[in-house]
Amino acid sequence: PGPGLLDGLLLFAELARVPSFLVLTAEMMFTGVAVWVCINWLPLFFHETFALSLAMAGLYGTFWYQGGRIAGVLAGGIPSDAAARRNPRYRLLMMGLCYAAAAPLLLTFAFTRSFGLIAAAVFVYNFLIGMGYVNSQPLLCELLAPRLRSTAIGLMNLVSCMAGGAGVLAAAWLKSD
């Protein structure tokens, strides 16, 4: 017989006692909210702000957002692995630096209505977030025993998706006002 509910609960309890896992899970939760809200809201923003058709707003919203993320994920692995070879803690430092460098780019929405500047800011923001994101699962592998890794990744993805869905719901509620 396969593992039962009790085995799963014991794994969750063991993971809950690892502070670094809890921090990474919180990071995934907050990232999930940002990703889900932006990916759902950005096309509407482009449609309403720049009078783009829904089709073009959807294309541009997805292209600039996901294009930056894909490029960042592809580009982030090599420097992350190089930094980790020097010191495994540098992987976490790289993650934090990428997120810190990305955050101010969101201010572009508050200070300009230039499509080009906003599209560039969205692309660069997601490029940096992608470069930081590639560190989360390798960090888990460095922190956790192999028998906990799949459960940890699954739990982190669950929390990220649940928080993202709640974020979209909250954004829709705020948009209705």
Side-chain angles (χ1 to χ4, degrees):
L5 179 61
L6 182 60
D7 294 324
L9 292 174
L10 291 173
L11 287 175
F12 291 150
E14 192 171 343
L15 286 170
R17 290 190 300 269
V18 180
S20 298
F21 169 73
L22 297 176
V23 169
L24 285 172
T25 302
E27 174 268 328
M28 286 288 285
M29 182 181 76
F30 292 124
T31 302
V33 170
V35 167
W36 281 51
V37 169
C38 284
I39 202 76
N40 284 283
W41 168 76
L42 195 56
L44 179 62
F45 174 80
F46 283 161
H47 172 69
E48 290 179 348
T49 305
F50 302 110
L52 297 176
S53 70
L54 287 175
M56 291 309 292
L59 174 68
Y60 287 145
T62 303
F63 176 78
W64 295 114
Y65 193 90
Q66 295 292 52
R69 181 66 58 106
I70 290 166
V73 166
L74 291 174
I78 293 169
S80 173
D81 288 340
R85 279 193 294 275
R86 289 191 183 134
N87 185 335
R89 292 181 178 158
Y90 288 171
R91 204 180 289 277
L92 183 60
L93 179 63
M94 183 176 168
M95 182 186 218
L97 289 174
C98 286
Y99 287 173
L105 292 166
L106 294 178
L107 294 172
T108 306
F109 287 96
F111 294 111
T112 187
R113 286 295 179 243
S114 164
F115 178 79
L117 286 175
I118 289 174
V122 167
F123 184 88
V124 174
Y125 169 83
N126 281 290
F127 178 83
L128 291 167
I129 293 296
M131 284 190 71
Y133 175 77
V134 297
N135 293 285
S136 60
Q137 291 186 7
L139 279 168
L140 276 181
C141 291
E142 292 170 6
L143 291 169
L144 300 174
R147 64 185 182 73
L148 295 172
R149 292 176 186 164
S150 292
T151 301
I153 290 169
L155 188 59
M156 287 173 64
N157 284 331
L158 170 73
V159 168
S160 177
C161 290
M162 296 287 287
V168 170
L169 182 63
W173 180 74
L174 290 170
K175 176 72 175 146
S176 69
D177 278 344

